[in-house]
Amino acid sequence: DKVYLLSIDEVTNPEYGFTSSTNSTDTREAVNTAYVADGGEIKSSSMESAGSADYWWLRSPGGNSTYASYVYGNGYVSTFGFYVNIYGNAARPALHLNLSSASSWSYAGTVTSDDVAEWDCIWFGNYWQEDTNGDGKADKKDDKTPIKWRVLSVEGDDVFLLADKNLDRQKYNDTNTSVTWENCTMRSWLNGYGGEINKDGKDFSDSNFLNNAFSAAEQSAIKTTNVVNDDNPSYGTEGGKDTSDKVYLLSIDEVTNPEYGF
């Protein structure tokens, strides 16, 4: 097909921006156009008003062969579904577009999803984030889940990303000593450097964020960045030498830069 409906698997796929559970979520909410509110193609009289969230069909079968699955107005996925000939569900089409051969597309901005409307977002890598095994705590016994990143800027093929959520808890440096970004243990842990890099001599080559969050193929797609380490603008504290890293923390200048959405 050229145009089709999404399946249960697709509307619970975090790579597409949805939550992985079938529970209610605004990531799956869809509001009616005025045309749909007025009944659409079949002139249904049971649709919600324009701008209001409504039920929409999935292509997956329901609890029996006369039922099809659908999504509630609040984003809940009904895997049992309802009668296939019911009038009150909307059509939310899906398709794939060849951007290199289509000249009529244009950027449409952002939409509110997970309370984030200021940034475009992507999924990249996986990390421990949720209690997936149901034991009441989120730790390394759980499955890793996709990491959501905010797109701060795009220049050619270079995309500057910031994790959407706090992903871990870590000391800036293991011991209370005078350090800069260049020689702190945080930098070594993020990138998997050996003990010769940080002031405490701690080796992170076996256990580090980079290896835990990204596959070898994903790591090869992460660019090494020249990280500028300026002095503190208020107190003049030395920032240290510039570094070259794959993963790093933002600076004061970067988190006060309107071009990045701050």
Side-chain angles (χ1 to χ4, degrees):
D1 302 314
K2 286 200 168 188
V3 187
Y4 56 103
L5 302 183
L6 296 183
S7 67
I8 293 172
D9 283 348
E10 288 164 331
V11 297
T12 55
N13 187 344
E15 291 184 0
Y16 297 153
F18 302 115
T19 60
S20 57
S21 75
T22 58
N23 296 336
S24 59
T25 167
D26 60 3
T27 65
R28 281 190 291 265
E29 288 184 11
V31 300
N32 290 336
T33 64
Y35 178 69
V36 173
D38 288 337
E41 178 75 13
I42 60 173
K43 303 301 180 186
S44 172
S45 60
S46 60
M47 306 305 293
E48 296 291 338
S49 60
S52 296
D54 212 342
Y55 293 19
W56 49 283
W57 288 116
L58 300 178
R59 73 174 187 274
S60 300
N64 61 55
S65 59
T66 64
Y67 279 44
S69 55
Y70 63 93
V71 177
Y72 277 75
N74 63 5
Y76 174 83
V77 179
S78 173
T79 57
F80 188 76
F82 206 57
Y83 294 108
V84 294
N85 68 334
I86 193 71
Y87 281 178
N89 287 356
R92 192 180 187 184
L95 55 81
H96 286 253
L97 182 66
N98 185 344
L99 296 183
S100 63
S101 63
S103 59
S104 58
W105 67 274
S106 62
Y107 178 64
T110 58
V111 295
T112 301
S113 179
D114 284 346
D115 298 321
V116 176
E118 293 82 4
W119 290 272
D120 292 310
C121 294
I122 69 167
W123 300 99
F124 181 63
N126 296 272
Y127 205 66
W128 300 285
Q129 299 179 75
E130 308 294 339
D131 176 17
T132 62
N133 61 13
D135 65 358
K137 56 184 177 180
D139 53 26
K140 289 187 177 181
K141 294 179 182 179
D142 293 296
D143 294 331
K144 297 176 183 178
T145 56
I147 304 171
K148 185 177 181 179
W149 301 86
R150 298 184 186 187
V151 178
L152 301 188
S153 70
V154 180
E155 295 183 11
D157 65 352
D158 187 298
V159 182
F160 187 17
L161 302 177
L162 170 68
D164 180 54
K165 296 180 179 179
N166 297 324
L167 293 181
D168 212 322
R169 189 173 185 181
Q170 187 66 252
K171 295 178 180 179
Y172 192 86
N173 195 72
D174 272 10
T175 62
N176 188 20
T177 186
S178 178
V179 293
T180 62
W181 168 255
E182 177 192 11
N183 53 28
C184 71
T185 54
M186 171 73 82
R187 177 185 174 223
S188 293
W189 171 72
L190 284 172
N191 291 276
Y193 297 146
E196 73 281 1
I197 299 296
N198 62 81
K199 204 167 186 178
D200 287 3
K202 191 169 182 179
D203 186 358
F204 289 93
S205 56
D206 291 331
S207 180
N208 56 75
F209 175 77
L210 190 68
N211 287 342
N212 284 328
F214 306 107
S215 67
E218 289 169 336
Q219 289 184 40
S220 67
I222 302 174
K223 293 188 172 185
T224 299
T225 299
N226 178 43
V227 181
V228 177
N229 298 305
D230 292 327
D231 296 346
N232 184 289
S234 299
Y235 302 97
T237 312
E238 181 184 358
K241 296 179 181 178
D242 292 349
T243 59
S244 295
D245 303 303
K246 285 203 165 189
V247 188
Y248 57 100
L249 304 182
L250 296 186
S251 68
I252 294 173
D253 284 347
E254 287 165 335
V255 296
T256 56
N257 188 344
E259 293 184 1
Y260 295 153
F262 302 115

